[in-house]
Amino acid sequence: MTSSCIVGWAHTPFGKHEGEDVESLIAKVATQAVADAGLEPGDIDEIVLGTYNEGFSPQGFPSSLVLQTSPDFRFKPATRVENACATGSAAIHQGLKTIAAGQGRFVLVVGVEKMTALPGPEIGKTLLKASYLKEESEIEGGFAGVFGVIANQYFQRHGDQSDALAAIAAKNHANGVENPWAQMRKDLGYDFCRNVSEKNPYVAGPLKRTDCSLVSDGAAALVLADEETARTLDKAVKFRAAVQVNDYLPLSKRDIVLFEGCEVAWKRAHAEAGTALSDLSLVETHDCFTIAELLEYEAMGLTPRGQGARAVLEGWTRKDGRLPVNPSGGLKSKGHPIGATGVSMHVMTSMQLMGKAEGMQVKDARLGGIFNMGGAAVANYVSILEPLK
């Protein structure tokens, strides 16, 4: 699956889109991504739509909504895929397989979610469906509560890491200021993220509001092409690796603070790409909660187990550090419309590698890593990207 390239993309701002629905959000990115690739809708061979939904939208069976954005999409195969918060990456993998099988030259991948139409408690119930309900449905705080449990276990094993979590939140919010598509473009500062206040209360366990990603609406899209075809186009970002690893769904069947699925996915991706972590210019990683980013430092091999705090407290993961992590602002600042997130991460990394990330730009970015996960390190996707030319 590594002979494919990203050749065009589009991205809505993430946030609360009043008056929009899944259909209108799709319309904002589908044809725009095709045009960005220098193509026409008729050139597309297959369409893959990623959306989690699970009650966010009353509209089921959404795959053919993409066809309504252009009559030239009519009669193209279109499929909806879902893998919790990794739905966007799952959609990309579906497209990569089509190209690898020689069944198409161009695949349009769209990720979308409309989350804000539901009241808060319903959003929590919908998100909790990405956990193992037979054992975890009564965890206080919903899906945030799941990660509150994970944070508590990590703190018990390695000591209070509140300083590190606040530093991760502050870093990502500072980065998000430079992202024109981010939901929250405000540098909150370390002190605000570190301290409990009326505006930053505890949400679940040791996690405060600033430790939790945002409820968001939004869409992102990209076009995939085979490498030979991509060489004829204006821009192309190649997949050096694209790996999926799934782990057990129940927390009870795993040592949850190890994020072992994440670790295995990174190892397999580096083996496929012939790279090491030290080769990467940047990483976009899945910071649905700050504790997740902390554990991902360790799972990707940036620090030994139990020492993830060093990476952020010593500045390694800042935009000017040894391995910039989430220069886009991550899910924490950019927002997390579930089905769009994985596609967005690939778009943001592609922009970096083409030198088109403007204020987000990491200097001399040549190799980018992406980690997108569904559930608590259940569905784990790692991509390694580089410019084709």
Side-chain angles (χ1 to χ4, degrees):
M1 294 206 306
T2 57
S3 60
S4 299
C5 299
I6 298 169
V7 297
W9 52 75
H11 202 295
T12 71
F14 285 176
K16 187 172 185 177
H17 287 269
E18 296 278 6
E20 303 280 6
D21 57 14
V22 166
E23 183 177 343
S24 63
L25 289 168
I26 290 169
K28 290 179 180 295
V29 295
T31 54
Q32 186 181 339
V34 174
D36 188 60
L39 304 173
E40 299 292 337
D43 296 321
I44 298 299
D45 298 303
E46 183 173 343
I47 297 162
V48 188
L49 175 70
T51 182
Y52 175 66
N53 199 348
E54 291 298 333
F56 282 126
S57 168
Q59 176 64 60
F61 189 39
S63 56
S64 282
L65 293 177
V66 183
L67 276 58
Q68 293 174 206
T69 64
S70 170
D72 292 330
F73 285 145
R74 192 180 184 194
F75 304 126
K76 309 286 186 183
T79 306
R80 177 260 182 120
V81 300
E82 182 275 324
N83 220 356
C85 300
T87 288
S89 290
I92 291 169
H93 274 237
Q94 183 83 0
L96 293 175
K97 290 174 183 175
T98 292
I99 291 171
Q103 295 182 337
R105 294 173 66 210
F106 298 111
V107 177
L108 172 64
V109 179
V110 180
V112 65
E113 212 72 63
K114 170 70 178 181
M115 300 175 69
T116 66
L118 291 182
E122 292 302 312
I123 291 171
K125 289 179 182 178
T126 299
L127 290 173
L128 191 60
K129 294 177 185 179
S131 65
Y132 187 57
L133 294 180
K134 287 183 178 180
E135 295 179 359
E136 298 157 19
S137 62
E138 300 304 317
I139 292 177
E140 187 176 352
F143 203 62
V146 171
F147 279 84
V149 168
I150 295 169
N152 272 327
Q153 289 189 21
Y154 188 87
F155 283 24
Q156 289 166 12
R157 192 174 302 182
H158 300 296
D160 190 321
Q161 304 294 317
S162 297
D163 290 350
L165 300 190
I168 289 169
K171 168 184 69 73
N172 291 347
H173 278 292
N175 288 346
V177 171
E178 301 296 337
N179 185 346
W181 295 278
Q183 181 170 353
M184 185 178 288
R185 300 182 65 187
K186 184 176 182 180
D187 186 351
L188 297 179
Y190 173 81
D191 288 342
F192 179 82
C193 296
R194 179 64 181 86
N195 296 312
V196 178
S197 65
E198 184 179 347
K199 292 185 176 181
N200 191 30
Y202 283 115
V203 174
L207 302 179
K208 298 182 285 294
R209 183 175 290 164
T210 51
D211 293 307
C212 306
S213 58
L214 304 163
V215 173
S216 315
D217 308 329
L222 54 81
V223 176
L224 300 171
D226 65 89
E227 184 175 341
E228 182 179 357
T229 300
R231 290 190 181 278
T232 68
L233 302 176
D234 290 341
K235 61 185 178 185
V237 175
K238 178 182 176 180
F239 283 84
R240 283 275 292 269
V243 169
Q244 176 188 356
V245 169
N246 271 57
D247 204 347
Y248 295 121
L249 182 60
L251 298 181
S252 62
K253 292 184 70 69
R254 300 177 277 149
D255 185 342
I256 190 55
V257 303
L258 297 182
F259 270 30
E260 292 165 287
C262 174
E263 178 181 25
V264 172
W266 273 109
K267 286 180 177 178
R268 290 182 182 175
H270 284 305
E272 184 175 308
T275 56
L277 187 67
S278 58
D279 296 322
L280 301 183
S281 306
L282 69 133
V283 167
E284 286 287 334
T285 202
H286 195 102
D287 60 320
C288 50
F289 299 91
T290 53
I291 185 63
E293 181 167 327
L294 184 70
L295 296 181
E296 288 155 20
Y297 293 161
E298 299 175 10
M300 74 172 75
L302 186 57
T303 73
R305 296 290 184 186
Q307 298 181 33
R310 290 186 58 201
V312 66
L313 295 177
E314 297 178 17
W316 303 1
T317 57
R318 289 173 44 174
K319 194 162 66 175
D320 59 354
R322 60 194 263 189
L323 180 62
V325 175
N326 286 331
S328 70
L331 286 57
K332 185 69 208 63
S333 173
K334 184 179 61 178
H336 184 23
I338 306 299
T341 288
V343 180
S344 171
M345 296 169 95
H346 284 77
V347 169
M348 294 290 155
T349 303
S350 296
M351 291 172 63
Q352 290 280 358
L353 297 174
M354 297 303 296
K356 303 288 188 181
E358 299 182 358
M360 297 180 284
Q361 187 67 50
V362 171
K363 185 178 179 182
D364 301 325
R366 298 299 301 168
L367 202 64
I370 298 163
F371 174 68
N372 180 205
M373 73 177 178
V378 176
N380 304 273
Y381 291 81
V382 171
S383 298
I384 296 177
L385 306 180
E386 68 177 353
L388 180 61
K389 53 186 179 180

